[in-house]
């Protein structure tokens, strides 16, 4: 069965600094990997996905993520954080042979002005 | 509609009461998921439909939980004899393709069982 771990409950970053939100996964087959963001009082929104191909994927709002097969990781990154990036971030995984998409418990990102 | 619509937005139920939660996916979306999100946790998978077929219901926590999508569009999640541990936000998401590469989420139904 697939699973995903987000080891940090909260990440604090100063505005303008680079940010990283960590995610590791476990699947039996090839993974499909996703990041979603949840702003206060709003539904989850898709940020980016990795299906196949280039290990570095770019998504919405200047975010990117790097797929690392050997470390089974898919960390979310942004070169320069904005206060408006403050939100709850969820990593998700799907085994390519399955339809079920499993979410991590989330990481709260605080960008400090 | 423009997005995934869920109703009601809030539901308060007495323990033992039956509830029905509705999801209107984006028109034409093939796939539909239900998730349960407890406070401070990530969404937990409940069930998945492709058109009217329920392909995976492995996440439903008990036989008190039942979901349907009879015409391949609107879906209803029914919880019978609600318990306090059922209190959570219930999220619905839809996708335009069977590969489920991008989910569109509704705002959820917050269920409180007293």
């Amino acid at each position: 069965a697939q699973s995903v771990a987000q080891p940090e409950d909260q990440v604090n970053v100063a505005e303008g600094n680079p940010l990283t939100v960590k995610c590791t996964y476990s699947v039996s087959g090839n993974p499909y990997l996703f990041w979603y963001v949840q702003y206060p009082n709003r539904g989850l929104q898709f940020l980016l996905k990795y299906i196949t191909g280039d290990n570095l994927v770019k998504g919405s709002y200047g975010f990117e993520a790097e797929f690392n097969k050997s470390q089974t990781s898919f960390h979310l990154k942004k070169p320069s954080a904005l206060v408006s990036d403050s939100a709850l971030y969820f990593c998700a995984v799907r085994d390519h042979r399955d339809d079920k998409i499993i979410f991590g418990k989330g990481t709260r990102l605080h960008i400090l002005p | 509609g423009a997005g995934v619509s869920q109703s009601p937005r809030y539901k308060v139920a007495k323990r033992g009461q039956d509830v029905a939660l509705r999801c209107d996916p984006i028109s034409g979306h093939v796939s539909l998921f239900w998730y349960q999100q407890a406070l401070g946790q990530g969404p937990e998978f409940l069930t998945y439909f492709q058109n009217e077929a329920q392909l995976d219901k492995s996440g439903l926590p008990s036989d008190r939980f039942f979901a349907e999508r009879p015409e391949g569009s609107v879906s209803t999640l029914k919880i019978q004899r609600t318990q306090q541990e059922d209190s959570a936000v219930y999220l619905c998401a839809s996708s335009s393709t069977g590969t489920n590469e991008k989910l569109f989420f509704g705002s959820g139904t917050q269920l409180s069982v007293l």
Side-chain angles (χ1 to χ4, degrees):
Chain A
Q2 58 266 46
S3 66
V4 59
Q6 294 182 244
E8 304 151 318
D9 289 336
Q10 183 167 310
V11 171
N12 297 322
V13 177
E15 187 177 24
N17 283 2
L19 69 87
T20 299
V21 183
K22 296 179 180 177
C23 172
T24 58
Y25 67 90
S26 174
V27 296
S28 302
N30 293 327
Y32 291 179
L33 295 156
F34 310 88
W35 277 100
Y36 283 80
V37 60
Q38 188 172 36
Y39 297 103
N41 300 315
R42 295 176 65 179
L44 277 84
Q45 297 177 33
F46 173 86
L47 270 183
L48 51 78
K49 66 183 179 187
Y50 170 83
I51 303 297
T52 187
D54 195 349
N55 289 345
L56 184 65
V57 293
K58 296 186 183 296
S60 308
Y61 311 121
F63 284 92
E64 59 189 28
E66 186 166 13
F67 170 61
N68 187 317
K69 188 174 183 177
S70 63
Q71 296 185 5
T72 61
S73 67
F74 190 57
H75 301 330
L76 181 70
K77 301 181 180 184
K78 187 172 182 180
S80 179
L82 300 172
V83 172
S84 57
D85 293 330
S86 298
L88 193 54
Y89 290 80
F90 293 96
C91 182
V93 66
R94 180 195 146 196
D95 188 310
H96 79 286
R97 301 169 300 180
D98 198 350
D99 299 309
K100 188 187 313 184
I101 299 174
I102 302 299
F103 284 79
K105 65 177 174 59
T107 298
R108 187 164 298 281
L109 179 62
H110 283 288
I111 307 302
L112 309 170
Chain B
V4 178
S5 177
Q6 292 188 247
S7 60
R9 185 70 181 89
Y10 301 95
K11 177 68 179 177
V12 178
K14 292 182 179 179
R15 191 172 55 183
Q17 188 178 353
D18 297 349
V19 298
L21 313 180
R22 177 187 169 103
C23 174
D24 268 289
I26 294 173
S27 179
H29 275 198
V30 168
S31 298
L32 187 145
F33 291 80
W34 282 99
Y35 287 87
Q36 181 190 60
Q37 187 175 20
L39 192 62
Q41 300 297 314
E44 294 281 343
F45 172 83
L46 292 177
T47 187
Y48 164 65
F49 291 86
Q50 193 167 106
N51 297 307
E52 69 278 4
Q54 189 175 22
L55 300 186
D56 190 332
K57 56 181 181 179
S58 62
L60 296 177
S62 76
D63 59 7
R64 296 186 295 105
F65 286 71
F66 172 77
E68 61 183 3
R69 194 186 184 197
E71 298 178 359
S73 55
V74 171
S75 177
T76 304
L77 176 67
K78 297 179 179 178
I79 309 173
Q80 296 178 322
R81 304 181 302 283
T82 52
Q83 304 294 316
Q84 282 190 319
E85 61 263 28
D86 300 334
S87 296
V89 176
Y90 290 84
L91 299 172
C92 176
S94 69
S95 175
S96 59
T97 70
T99 55
N100 306 324
E101 292 183 8
K102 180 176 180 179
L103 297 184
F104 293 82
F105 279 85
S107 297
T109 293
Q110 185 170 330
L111 174 64
S112 299
V113 181
L114 306 178

